[in-house]
Amino acid sequence: MRFVDFFNALLEGKLVGQKCLDCNSYTCPPKATCDNCGSRNLETVELSGYGVIRTFTTTYVAPAGYEKEIPYTVALVELDEGPWIIGRIDLDPQEVEKLDQELIGKRVKVYGKEFQTEPFYPNKEKRVVPMFKLEG
C-alpha cells in the first residue's frame, strides 16, 4: 500500500490500513511491516474510521510553510482497531481552549482534508491531512 492510496482514500471518506496475516493486528498509516510483530505479510483493509483522542496540542508558532494555517490543533487518536494516528482536530482553537482536557477520551471520526502544498511536502500537487471530527 502506498501513502498516496492512504491519502486518496481519506479524501473519499475511507480510512484504510493494513491487517497482519501473521498476528492479526492492524497498522495505520501504511508501513512496510506490521507495527506489532514486524511481519511483511500484510493485507490492505478498510478500518472503521473511529477512535478516541488520547492527547493533543495547539500550534501557535508554525513551522516553515505552515504560517497561514495557525493556530491549529494536532491530536493523537487511538483507533477502534488499535493503531494510533496523528492528525488535526476539526475544531476552532478557541473551542479547544474551552474544552481543554475534556477533549481527552472524546470519540472522533477520521476524514481527510486537502490543504495547499508546501515546499517540504513530498507531493507537490496536493497535501492531504487526516482530520478528526468530534462525534455527538
Side-chain angles (χ1 to χ4, degrees), residues 44-93:
T44 300
V45 294
E46 187 173 340
L47 304 175
S48 69
Y50 290 92
V52 175
I53 295 173
R54 293 299 180 203
T55 191
F56 67 93
T57 187
T58 299
T59 301
Y60 294 97
V61 179
Y66 294 83
E67 296 86 357
K68 294 179 182 175
E69 298 176 20
I70 58 169
Y72 56 87
T73 302
V74 175
L76 275 173
V77 167
E78 182 178 7
L79 298 172
D80 289 353
E81 292 83 1
W84 290 38
I85 64 170
I86 193 166
R88 293 188 186 182
I89 298 176
D90 186 5
L91 204 57
D92 184 273

Side-chain angles (χ1 to χ4, degrees), residues 100-112:
D100 196 36
Q101 296 302 301
E102 289 178 32
L103 277 173
I104 307 255
K106 293 277 188 193
R107 288 202 47 83
V108 293
K109 171 74 173 156
V110 183
Y111 72 96

Side-chain angles (χ1 to χ4, degrees), residues 1 17 21 31 35 40 48 52 69-70 94-95 108 120 128 132 136:
M1 173 182 221
L21 299 175
K31 297 178 184 166
D35 278 343
R40 291 183 173 269
S48 69
V52 175
E69 298 176 20
I70 58 169
Q94 291 178 337
E95 187 65 24
V108 293
F120 305 106
V128 179
F132 306 122

Side-chain angles (χ1 to χ4, degrees), residues 112-124:
K113 182 175 179 182
E114 194 169 335
F115 286 85
Q116 185 175 3
T117 192
E118 45 84 10
F120 305 106
Y121 197 72
N123 184 342
K124 301 305 179 201

